[in-house]
């Protein structure tokens, strides 16, 4: 057993030395003009395959700043062509480890590489891309020259087709003239009332006729467009039980409290739901009491709360991402650590919002499970943070976890899975089990080599 442990120690030490050597050579081969490393020279010096070099590269030890290219128009043609050529060696879907390799190869943030990769496998026209092409058109550039500047699509014809389709779909000049008819708030409110009063199962036609008679001064096509927008916006459903449909309509027409199965939420209901949730500890929200207060079932309250969080918090966090990142970078440069209370005070957001918004990640450590160096103190610290801030039904934001621990995001995600007792049984993991078993190691010892929470029964 001591020999096995000694062999593992030697192997880990050699890998750390190799990683430091690869990172050092990559920094020396950095091409400031192109903003990335010339990996061909690194490969020649080490006589190692490219993928192995990228796997050993440790961004936390590198002194080279990682580029941020959040939009596809930020990518230079040479960079995009190099990315397209590089990702061809991967399957259709990139794993987290594959994304890290692409990020190291391109010297671009992992999230930015994932966005550009999605454009490689499924090119599509976006607003920023459309604006850039339009600016080239204004300069009288030919489609051939434009395609050379934006080599996203497979051919010039594909680029042209996507451009004109996006223009026809987006701009009002290509829509029917009736779409420009203006509706007042009072007319819109009356239209909603008509839909509630006159819609019944299979009665969409009759409801539309009532609306046409109610607004004789409006063009017929405009009334139809307005009806479709309101009809689908309210998510009115056709159900076989006519009595239930009538009951729902009657409930929405009355000013009295509705029953626990109300279909629609108004702004007052949403505000009251958010207020009631804030009265409880995030780890122990009393959904039964909230359900009783709002006269809705528990699952409806939870589902609506998740929707509201997705709509409100990400927008607020995204708007302050640059401000938060700048504050974090300044503190980290001065102290080699981040005081999130100071960041929160300086930008005017809560600490959790700052953790979710920060995009600066220089110097983050790696956290790969090693039974000899594993620390339960770190594991308990991460688990406590997740339980405190992301109790169900909230999904865990691993960007915030990564910033709190100052550890790479993918490593936090994988370690959280290991701490929950999850294990992905890949061929490499199974081969390692077979190898260790062949050396006479017991299953309980093999389990400890693989995960901190794995039992002896699972690898057996």
């Amino acid at each position: 057993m001591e020999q096995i442990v000694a062999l593992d120690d030697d192997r880990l030490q050699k890998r750390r030395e190799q990683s430091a050597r690869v990172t050092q050579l990559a920094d020396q081969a950095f091409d400031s003009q192109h903003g990335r490393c010339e990996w061909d020279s690194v490969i020649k010096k080490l006589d190692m395959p490219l993928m192995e070099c990228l796997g050993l590269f440790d961004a936390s030890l590198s002194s080279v700043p990682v580029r941020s290219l959040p939009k596809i128009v930020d990518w230079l043609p040479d960079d995009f062509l190099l990315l397209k050529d590089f990702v061809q060696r991967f399957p259709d879907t990139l794993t987290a480890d594959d994304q890290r390799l692409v990020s190291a190869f391109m010297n671009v943030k992992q999230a930015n590489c994932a966005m550009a990769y999605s454009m490689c496998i499924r090119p599509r026209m976006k607003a920023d891309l459309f604006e850039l092409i339009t600016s080239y058109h204004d300069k009288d550039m030919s489609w051939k020259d434009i395609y050379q500047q934006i080599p996203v699509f497979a051919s010039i014809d594909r680029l042209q087709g996507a451009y004109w389709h996006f223009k026809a779909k987006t701009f009002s000049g290509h829509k029917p003239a009736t779409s420009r008819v203006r509706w007042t708030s009072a007319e819109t409110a009356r239209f909603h009332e008509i839909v509630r009063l006159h819609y019944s199962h299979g009665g969409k036609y009759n409801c539309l006729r009532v609306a046409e008679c109610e607004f004789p001064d409006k063009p017929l096509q405009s009334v139809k467009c307005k009806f479709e927008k309101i009809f689908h916006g309210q998510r009115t459903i056709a159900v076989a039980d006519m009595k239930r449909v009538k009951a729902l309509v009657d409930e929405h027409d009355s000013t009295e409290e509705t029953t626990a199965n109300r279909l629609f939420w108004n702004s007052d209901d949403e505000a009251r739901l958010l207020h009631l949730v804030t009265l409880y500890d995030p780890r122990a929200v009393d959904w039964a009491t909230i359900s009783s207060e709002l006269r809705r079932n528990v699952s409806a309250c939870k589902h609506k709360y998740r929707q509201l969080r997705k709509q409100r918090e990400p927008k607020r966090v995204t708007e302050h991402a640059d401000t938060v990142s700048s504050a974090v970078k300044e503190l980290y440069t001065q102290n080699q650590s981040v005081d999130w209370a100071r960041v929160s005070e300086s930008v005017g957001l809560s600490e959790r919002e700052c953790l979710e918004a920060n995009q600066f990640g220089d110097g983050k450590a790696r956290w790969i499970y090693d039974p000899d160096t594993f620390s339960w103190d770190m594991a308990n610290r991460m688990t406590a943070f997740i339980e405190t801030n992301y109790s169900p039904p909230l999904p865990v934001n691993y960007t915030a976890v990564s910033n709190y621990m100052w550890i790479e995001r993918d490593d936090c995600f994988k370690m959280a899975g290991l701490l929950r007792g999850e294990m992905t049984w890949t061929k490499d993991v199974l081969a390692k089990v077979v190898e260790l078993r062949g050396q006479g190691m017991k299953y309980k010892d093999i389990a400890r080599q693989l995960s901190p929470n794995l039992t002896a029964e699972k690898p057996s």
Side-chain angles (χ1 to χ4, degrees), residues 193-248:
E193 186 180 0
I194 291 172
V195 173
R196 291 197 300 267
L197 286 172
H198 297 282
Y199 175 78
S200 60
H201 178 55
K204 182 177 176 181
Y205 177 81
N206 292 331
C207 185
L208 179 58
R209 298 284 78 77
V210 173
E212 291 174 356
C213 294
E214 183 71 19
F215 302 103
D217 56 325
K218 301 288 186 182
L220 180 61
Q221 186 61 31
S222 178
V223 175
K224 289 182 179 179
C225 292
K226 187 70 173 176
F227 174 79
E228 291 295 334
K229 183 177 180 180
I230 292 176
F231 183 80
H232 293 294
Q234 289 186 338
R235 298 187 181 184
T236 309
I237 56 173
V239 292
D241 189 352
M242 291 301 300
K243 292 182 180 179
R244 181 168 178 267
V245 173
K246 187 176 184 303
L248 287 171

Side-chain angles (χ1 to χ4, degrees), residues 5-16 18 432 449:
V5 172
L7 288 173
D8 283 343
D9 289 341
D10 292 340
R11 178 177 55 82
L12 290 172
Q13 182 61 31
K14 288 180 180 178
R15 184 172 180 81
R16 293 191 189 100
Q18 283 184 321
K432 185 174 182 180
Q449 293 291 321

Side-chain angles (χ1 to χ4, degrees), residues 14-30:
K14 288 180 180 178
R15 184 172 180 81
R16 293 191 189 100
E17 292 174 355
Q18 283 184 321
S19 178
R21 175 63 174 159
V22 169
T23 306
Q24 181 183 10
L25 290 175
D27 288 357
Q28 294 173 359
F30 177 69

Side-chain angles (χ1 to χ4, degrees), residues 278-345:
T278 59
L279 299 178
Y280 297 94
D281 187 306
R283 294 169 293 182
V285 177
D286 189 349
W287 290 105
T289 301
I290 293 175
S291 169
S292 177
E293 288 283 338
L294 296 175
R295 302 191 66 185
R296 300 177 185 269
N297 57 48
V298 173
S299 61
C301 293
K302 288 184 177 181
H303 179 69
K304 189 62 181 179
Y305 181 65
R306 282 195 296 266
Q307 284 184 328
L308 293 174
R309 286 292 301 272
K310 288 180 180 179
Q311 292 170 2
R312 299 186 179 200
E313 289 202 356
K315 183 178 179 181
R316 172 174 165 81
V317 168
T318 303
E319 290 174 348
H320 297 83
D322 293 339
T323 306
V324 173
S325 300
S326 298
V328 172
K329 182 177 181 180
E330 182 179 352
L331 281 177
Y332 185 82
T333 303
Q334 294 174 356
N335 309 317
Q336 294 300 304
S337 63
V338 181
D339 184 347
W340 291 103
R342 289 180 58 186
V343 176
S344 172
E345 183 179 352

Side-chain angles (χ1 to χ4, degrees), residues 344-361:
S344 172
E345 183 179 352
S346 64
V347 301
L349 299 175
S350 67
E351 288 190 32
R352 191 175 79 178
E353 288 174 329
C354 292
L355 288 165
E356 293 177 351
N358 176 51
Q359 301 296 321
F360 175 77

